[in-house]
Amino acid sequence: MNIEQRMTAPVAHVIDPQADISARLERLPVTREVFWARNIVGAATFFDGYTVIAIAYAMPVLVHEWGLTPGQTGMILSMGYLGQLIGAVLFGWLAEKIGRLKVLLFTILLFVSMDIACLFAAGAATMMAFRFVQGVGTGGEVPVASAYINELIGSKGRGRFFLLYEVMFLLGLVGAGLIGYFMVPLYGWKAMFVVGLIPAVLMIPLRWFLTESPRWLVANGRYEEANRIVTKLEDSARAAGKTLPEPKHAAVPVRKQSDWRELFQGIYLKRTLSIWAMWFSAYLVANGTITWLPTLYRQTFNLPLETSIFYGFATSVGGVVAAVICALLIDRVGRKRWYTGALLIAPIPLAILAWLGATSAMQVLVLAGLAYAIVQTVTFSLYLYSAEIYPTRLRAIGTGAGSAWLRLGSSAGPIVTGFLLSSMGIQYVFMVFAAILLLGALVTAVFAVETKGRTLEELSP
């Protein structure tokens, strides 16, 4: 049945096309097509995570090879995040205008091409420039991919389904650690960027096997295309032996054009300000920690290169384990409760580390690693939460604008770490990080809204 037939069917009232598409998606189980869409986009997100952190494992070699100062080291680590800030806002806005898939293809092409450019960097200045442009691509990919995956699934189990996809980003961090541990000591820092060329092959399945988001299509007046995609998903579910209940049509979503100013109006103002605070505080601490650790172990504690990289890798693994636990439990616990608790607990090991003076590598590995793992449950799941608190017309731009604060926090983290290390001492790094997380916890407790178990349209009219 096409959309015109559905709209003119003899029912008690005329069904709005947008409400119809939403209701039909809500009743669907995870079909084969949606499962593979998550995996294909997840593969791109894996290499996005790899690309973001690859420079951290190259830095212990580059510091020695190029004679870098702590200030230059911090700037190289931060330039990618500054580029991500621009990419998140620019491509989030563009995805509302031209669609999710077109933007995903371009962002992957951009960060892969800059991966090639990084191979030819001859010093700090060129590496900063290449990492900045590469960051524009990686910054655009993740928020748009998050909006896309969220829009394919219903509210039941949405947190678990989405966050198991988001774990791919963290596995990318772990993959970078493995490559760094085994290949950098043997083949040098360029090995990190050679591996980053693999995402180029993802252009093929992204281009030919994925369909556009039906929620985005219907929100932009392309009802027939959205109906064809949802009908195919329904047929796939029935072919797999699933019985579909009748769609339950909720209130008709507000039909508006995408306008970024709405982020600061009505119910969305508090949501926008609270998610920005959460992005900034959590990512400043998480990336300020993880990007500096290999260099910190090497330069401050004089550990061998292999040991420095392995310790950084172990911290990344701890973050993945914590993230998987979060993915399995967050639909039960709830978003707001989890975030508030994590941001209150993580400062404890940081405060202990500051009190002890961070005098040994083992202290840093255990206590900073524990804090990082707890904060990582917040950082990796905020894409889920951001996509839930905005309507389809604002989802990509809202997630992109919010994640711009991720980039600000991520770029500030390494710079703050470098400044405090050179001017005050390592223990003050962890003291400042603990205070920042406590502020984030306060904002979350006061302003965040709960989203578990509620449809996207119910949450955001």
Side-chain angles (χ1 to χ4, degrees):
M1 182 182 293
N2 63 33
I3 196 70
E4 291 179 357
Q5 290 171 324
R6 292 183 67 86
M7 296 307 103
T8 57
V11 294
H13 60 279
V14 175
I15 301 173
D16 178 84
Q18 206 168 339
D20 179 67
I21 292 297
S22 170
R24 291 163 65 194
L25 286 171
E26 282 294 325
R27 67 175 179 161
L28 284 173
V30 176
T31 64
R32 181 181 60 184
E33 291 81 1
V34 171
F35 175 79
W36 281 107
R38 180 183 70 173
N39 291 346
I40 292 170
V41 176
T45 301
F46 172 92
F47 282 101
D48 198 332
Y50 175 93
T51 300
V52 165
I53 204 66
I55 190 67
Y57 294 100
M59 284 311 298
V61 176
L62 288 176
V63 166
H64 180 264
E65 187 174 318
W66 291 350
L68 300 175
T69 66
Q72 288 175 313
T73 302
M75 287 301 296
I76 291 174
L77 293 172
S78 295
M79 289 308 291
Y81 295 119
L82 290 175
Q84 290 170 36
L85 187 158
I86 295 173
V89 175
L90 172 63
F91 290 116
W93 170 82
L94 195 60
E96 304 292 10
K97 303 298 181 182
I98 67 173
R100 305 338 189 188
L101 281 186
K102 290 179 181 178
V103 170
L104 283 176
L105 285 166
F106 183 79
T107 55
I108 294 170
L109 177 64
L110 184 60
F111 76 68
V112 169
S113 64
M114 285 299 103
D115 205 79
I116 297 173
C118 286
L119 290 170
F120 300 96
T126 51
M127 182 61 83
M128 287 180 199
F130 293 150
R131 287 289 295 175
F132 175 82
V133 179
Q134 187 177 47
V136 174
T138 56
E141 190 272 337
V142 176
V144 175
S146 300
Y148 178 73
I149 297 297
N150 259 288
E151 289 170 358
L152 291 178
I153 56 178
S155 58
K156 186 177 181 180
R158 181 174 60 229
R160 179 174 180 171
F161 179 88
F162 178 83
L163 291 184
L164 288 176
Y165 144 77
E166 193 69 13
V167 165
M168 295 299 292
F169 184 89
L170 301 185
L171 290 176
L173 304 182
V174 172
L178 282 173
I179 297 298
Y181 180 73
F182 288 108
M183 297 187 69
V184 170
L186 292 176
Y187 302 107
W189 62 269
K190 291 187 178 181
M192 297 301 302
F193 296 97
V194 171
V195 175
L197 302 179
I198 295 175
V201 301
L202 295 173
M203 306 292 281
I204 299 172
L206 272 170
R207 174 65 181 84
W208 296 109
F209 299 117
L210 299 189
T211 58
E212 184 54 84
S213 160
R215 278 186 163 103
W216 179 84
L217 288 169
V218 74
N220 285 272
R222 296 162 64 174
Y223 306 132
E224 285 292 345
E225 293 174 72
N227 180 61
R228 282 197 296 271
I229 293 169
V230 176
T231 298
K232 183 178 179 180
L233 296 177
E234 290 169 334
D235 291 343
S236 176
R238 293 188 181 101
K242 305 292 185 181
T243 300
L244 301 181
E246 284 297 311
K248 296 180 180 179
H249 295 92
V252 176
V254 175
R255 191 175 301 284
K256 291 183 180 179
Q257 292 296 316
S258 176
D259 184 351
W260 64 268
R261 289 172 294 187
E262 197 179 354
L263 295 174
F264 308 101
Q265 297 171 357
I267 64 172
Y268 300 115
L269 175 59
K270 282 186 178 180
R271 297 184 184 189
T272 295
L273 297 180
S274 63
I275 197 69
W276 286 8
M278 293 162 69
W279 279 117
F280 183 81
S281 60
Y283 267 91
L284 187 151
V285 173
N287 284 326
T289 300
I290 196 65
T291 55
W292 260 100
L293 282 179
T295 303
L296 189 69
Y297 292 132
R298 179 75 168 146
Q299 299 298 115
T300 303
F301 297 110
N302 298 312
L303 297 182
L305 175 62
E306 292 84 353
T307 305
S308 299
I309 293 176
F310 177 76
Y311 278 12
F313 166 72
T315 302
S316 293
V317 171
V320 173
V321 172
V324 172
I325 294 171
C326 173
L328 297 176
L329 296 180
I330 199 166
D331 278 329
R332 295 182 184 179
V333 176
R335 284 48 153 172
K336 180 176 181 176
R337 185 181 299 175
W338 187 287
Y339 297 151
T340 304
L343 293 173
L344 283 173
I345 294 171
I348 297 174
L350 292 176
I352 294 173
L353 192 54
W355 177 67
L356 292 174
T359 55
S360 73
M362 190 55 62
Q363 285 180 5
V364 175
L365 175 63
V366 174
L367 293 171
L370 177 60
Y372 173 79
I374 296 169
V375 174
Q376 192 71 293
T377 67
V378 179
T379 58
F380 102 109
S381 62
L382 282 179
Y383 278 109
L384 163 71
Y385 187 64
S386 293
E388 290 177 329
I389 62 175
Y390 294 114
T392 299
R393 65 185 179 274
L394 294 175
R395 187 163 294 120
I397 184 62
T399 303
S403 67
W405 287 87
L406 171 170
R407 318 305 172 183
L408 282 171
S410 296
S411 61
I415 294 173
V416 168
T417 302
F419 171 77
L420 292 174
L421 275 173
S422 60
S423 64
M424 300 179 70
I426 187 173
Q427 67 268 37
Y428 291 96
V429 173
F430 302 113
M431 185 183 301
V432 170
F433 281 0
I436 290 170
L437 290 178
L438 288 174
L439 287 174
L442 177 63
V443 173
T444 303
V446 174
F447 295 113
V449 296
E450 185 53 70
T451 61
K452 72 168 184 175
R454 301 171 66 186
T455 69
L456 297 179
E457 288 72 23
E458 176 190 1
L459 281 164
S460 304

